[in-house]
Amino acid sequence: MRRRRKLDHLNLAQLMEDGPLSTGFGDIHFLPNCLPELDFAAVSTASSFLGREVAAPFLINAISGGVAEAEALNRALAAAARRLEIPMAVGSMTAALEEDALKRTFTVVREENPDGFIAANLSANAGPEQALAAIEMIGADALQLHLNAAQEVMMAEGEGELSFGGCWQKIREVVEASPVPVMVKEIGCGIAREEARLLAAAGVAVLDTGGGGGTNFLRIESARRKKGGTEPFFNWGLPAAVSLLEVVDAVAGLEAAGQTAPLVVASGGLRSGLDAAKALAVGASLAGVAGPLVRSYYRGGLKAVLEYLQLWQQQLRQAMFMLGAGEPADLKACPLVVLGETGRWVELRGVNLQSLARRKSALAGTKPKMSKKT
Ligand SMILES: Cc1cc2nc3c(=O)[nH]c(=O)nc-3n(C[C@H](O)[C@H](O)[C@H](O)COP(=O)(O)O)c2cc1C
C-alpha cells in the first residue's frame, strides 16, 4: 500500500499544476536600488547552513525513496546536490525501516554524495528509535520531521489509524535523542506563528515553512481517492509567503526575548531564484523546492534538474546584483514592501511589517554627506 502511494505521488506530482492557492510571493516587492555599488563578478550565492558551507542557499527538499522507482531519482538528486554543493533531504524513510530491501533506495544518496549535507526524513509521529535508525542509515547531517495532518486525513487509505495525539511530545523526545539537528517541516499547508513558537519550545533547530501555493497534497490525495468530497479543501493552508512571514515573526520575537531561536527554511511553491531572493530577504536561511525537481527529472534526468537549479542560482545572483547584495545575508538588509492579500493577511495577524520596509539600505551608513554650498 505504501509503495503504491509513493508511486502515485511521483506520477501525480508530474501531472498536477501548483495551487490553486497563490503563494503570495508576488505580493512581496523589493525596493529597487538604482545605485547597487557592486560588480556582478563580486556577487556570490555562497552561504552557510547549520555550520556547513553551501554554494547556494537552496534545499532539494524531501521527495522520495522506499519504492524501487525512486532509486534512480534519488541518485540524480544527490548528484545534483553534490555538483551544486547544496543540501538535500530524502523522502520519508519509514518503509526502509520496515523492509531492508528498500534501504538501497535511500543509501544511494550517500553513495552518490559522500560528503554533502543530507537530511533524513520521517513523520513527526516517529519515535526516537526510528529517528536514530533513519539517521544512521544514510549518515544524515540532520533529521527532517514532516507534519502532514491535512494530507493524511484526505488519504485514500482512510482515517482509521490516523493519530496526531502526543505529536509535540514525540518531537521533543526525538530532539533530545537526536545526535544531529532536527528540522520540522510542513508539506504544503504552512506553519503559523503559534505552532512555530511551540516547535521552537520543543528545541527544534530549523523550521521549514512548507506553505501553500505549490505542490498540493490535498489535491494529490483527492486524485488517489477517486471519489469526491475533498474539493472544498483545495485552498486549505497558509499561503507560503504568509507562513514565512509568520514564522520569521515568531523567530524574531524569540530572539528579542533573548531565547534560542530556530533557523528558517522557506518552502512551498518557490518557483524562481527571485522567489528565493524574497524568501531570504524576509529571513530564511535556505529556499527549498520539490515538485519542479520531480518534473525536471522525468523530463530530462539529471541534466534537467541541474539546469533548473542553475537557473535559480543565476536569477538569485541577478536579483542580488540589482539590490546591491554581495552575499545572501546582505538581502536581509534590503527593504521589502508587502502588498495585496498577503499584506492584508499578515497585517490582521499583527506581523511586524514595518521592520521589513524600513531596513537599512546597504549604503545607508556610508552615504557621503551633501556639502552645503553657499
Ligand atoms: C512527489 C513528492 C513526494 C514527497 N514526499 C515527501 C516525503 O516523503 N516527506 C516530506 O517531508 N515531504 C515530501 N514531499 C513534500 C516536499 O518536500 C515539499 O514540502 C512540498 O512538495 C512543497 O514544496 P514544492 O511546492 O516546492 O513542491 C514530497 C513532494 C513531492 C512532490
Side-chain angles (χ1 to χ4, degrees):
M1 180 108 74
R2 188 180 279 125
R3 278 191 225 172
R4 178 73 251 165
R5 182 163 73 230
K6 282 170 185 289
L7 257 189
D8 286 349
H9 287 165
L10 286 174
N11 290 331
L12 290 166
Q14 290 173 62
L15 299 175
M16 288 204 174
E17 285 174 9
D18 290 335
L21 206 63
S22 158
T23 62
F25 278 103
D27 286 333
I28 299 183
H29 299 265
F30 280 112
L31 216 64
N33 181 349
C34 66
L35 259 182
E37 294 286 335
L38 192 71
D39 300 333
F40 191 75
V43 177
S44 163
T45 58
S47 181
S48 68
F49 179 66
L50 291 172
R52 296 278 293 267
E53 299 302 311
V54 298
F58 304 149
L59 168 69
I60 297 179
N61 222 338
I63 296 175
S64 208
V67 59
E69 287 76 359
E71 185 175 325
L73 166 68
N74 269 346
R75 187 181 282 287
L77 294 174
R82 176 173 51 79
R83 292 264 284 275
L84 300 175
E85 296 171 51
I86 60 174
M88 87 168 266
V90 295
S92 181
M93 298 168 75
T94 315
L97 295 180
E98 290 168 4
E99 200 179 327
D100 275 355
L102 296 174
K103 284 188 176 160
R104 179 129 199 87
T105 63
F106 294 100
T107 53
V108 68
V109 167
R110 188 46 92 194
E111 218 173 270
E112 194 66 38
N113 189 7
D115 304 317
F117 183 106
I118 300 174
N121 184 291
L122 284 175
S123 159
N125 276 314
E129 207 177 304
Q130 285 173 299
L132 294 180
I135 293 165
E136 202 201 319
M137 194 191 303
I138 56 169
D141 301 279
L143 169 68
Q144 280 189 333
L145 296 176
H146 62 259
L147 288 166
N148 65 340
Q151 176 195 5
E152 293 221 2
V153 79
M154 299 293 161
M155 276 185 188
E157 289 79 354
E159 298 112 7
E161 292 179 14
L162 187 57
S163 161
F164 272 76
C167 188
W168 183 85
Q169 185 58 33
K170 282 188 201 137
I171 293 173
R172 218 175 122 100
E173 285 165 16
V174 167
V175 166
E176 270 170 25
S178 176
V180 295
V182 174
M183 311 166 69
V184 172
K185 70 188 286 269
E186 237 292 341
I187 60 143
C189 293
I191 297 176
R193 192 169 42 188
E194 291 80 352
E195 286 68 47
R197 287 193 194 118
L198 286 171
L199 292 165
V204 165
V206 180
L207 293 174
D208 178 340
T209 55
T215 302
N216 184 339
F217 270 97
L218 275 62
R219 219 166 48 172
I220 287 179
E221 295 304 342
S222 174
R224 292 185 59 239
R225 232 172 136 108
K226 295 191 184 91
K227 60 178 185 199
T230 50
E231 297 80 4
F233 294 98
F234 284 2
N235 266 323
W236 188 263
L238 284 166
V242 172
S243 174
L244 176 62
L245 287 157
E246 292 232 358
V247 171
V248 167
D249 196 46
V251 163
L254 293 171
E255 282 168 351
Q259 293 173 30
T260 318
L263 296 177
V264 180
V265 171
S267 74
L270 295 176
R271 295 297 178 256
S272 70
L274 178 57
D275 282 347
K278 291 178 183 180
L280 298 167
V282 170
S285 297
L286 296 181
V289 58
L293 302 180
V294 177
R295 294 188 275 276
S296 296
Y297 174 74
Y298 285 105
R299 202 184 57 245
L302 170 62
K303 184 167 175 283
V305 172
L306 282 170
E307 279 167 5
Y308 182 86
L309 290 165
Q310 280 161 342
L311 180 61
W312 268 40
Q313 192 171 14
Q314 184 190 5
Q315 291 165 337
L316 174 60
R317 277 188 86 201
Q318 287 165 336
M320 289 169 62
F321 172 69
M322 289 189 272
L323 292 160
E327 52 185 271
D330 294 343
L331 286 168
K332 294 191 170 67
C334 296
L336 293 167
V337 177
V338 185
L339 300 175
E341 220 172 286
T342 309
R344 182 85 183 116
W345 188 314
V346 291
E347 200 177 294
L348 287 172
R349 292 272 294 152
V351 171
N352 182 4
L353 292 179
Q354 290 304 317
S355 66
L356 298 178
R358 288 196 195 134
R359 281 171 176 168
K360 256 199 320 189
S361 127
L363 265 184
T366 56
K367 256 184 201 155
K369 286 212 171 82
M370 302 298 277
S371 56
K372 275 189 194 155
K373 282 191 182 154
T374 48

